[in-house]
Amino acid sequence: MATTRIGTHINAPRSTVYRLLLEADAVTQWMMPDGMSCEVHRFEPEAGGSFSITVTNDEPSPSGIAELQHDAYYGRFLSLVPDERVVEVMEFVTGRPDMEGAQSITFSLSDAAGGGTDLEVLHEDVPQGLTAADNETHWRMGLRKLAALAERGTVD
């Protein structure tokens, strides 16, 4: 199992970034790679609360299959420290052994030196079926969307 650690600066207060980590409507807009859409089925942003999410490719697979490919995952919030940290554990719903297993994700927020928020994401126990490079790329795409939402200050 691998670990991905990635950070970004967001020109918005920690309270805004924290709120967007825990708002289902916001999650549907930022927590997936480019070229995918997201549907939140359950989202209980409290310690011990659970979530269930599906992400779907916006284009058919390269094999020409008309069905859209999708991935589903579920999990729970382990710890929430307002404006500082969100810790969650999640698992993919899959029949692929190389994608099975619990993964933890920790979002840590701090005040940036020049203003705004520094956000660090620590994704631990990344399954073998997801390369480190792909995982980092997916996180960068999502965090770019999160930053845009936070800097705009609203969820469409």
Side-chain angles (χ1 to χ4, degrees), residues 12-73:
R14 283 191 298 167
S15 59
T16 299
V17 176
Y18 181 81
R19 178 179 52 82
L20 295 174
L21 294 174
L22 299 176
E23 251 182 37
D25 288 343
V27 168
T28 65
Q29 293 184 44
W30 74 265
M31 196 174 224
M32 73 300 223
D34 294 347
M36 300 188 90
S37 53
C38 179
E39 182 178 359
V40 173
H41 306 285
R42 183 178 61 254
F43 205 76
E44 302 163 337
E46 58 192 37
S50 64
F51 56 86
S52 175
I53 297 172
T54 301
V55 291
T56 303
N57 287 330
D58 294 335
E59 298 292 327
S61 71
S63 66
I65 298 172
E67 293 179 28
L68 298 179
Q69 292 177 304
H70 68 275
D71 290 304
Y73 61 94

Side-chain angles (χ1 to χ4, degrees), residues 108-148:
S108 299
L109 299 88
S110 60
D111 290 331
T117 301
D118 285 333
L119 174 64
E120 181 180 90
V121 179
L122 177 63
H123 186 174
E124 297 176 286
D125 301 317
V126 178
Q128 297 177 85
L130 185 56
T131 69
D134 284 348
N135 195 47
E136 182 173 333
T137 297
H138 295 168
W139 274 112
R140 287 197 186 284
M141 290 175 183
L143 293 178
R144 187 187 74 247
K145 294 175 196 177
L146 174 63

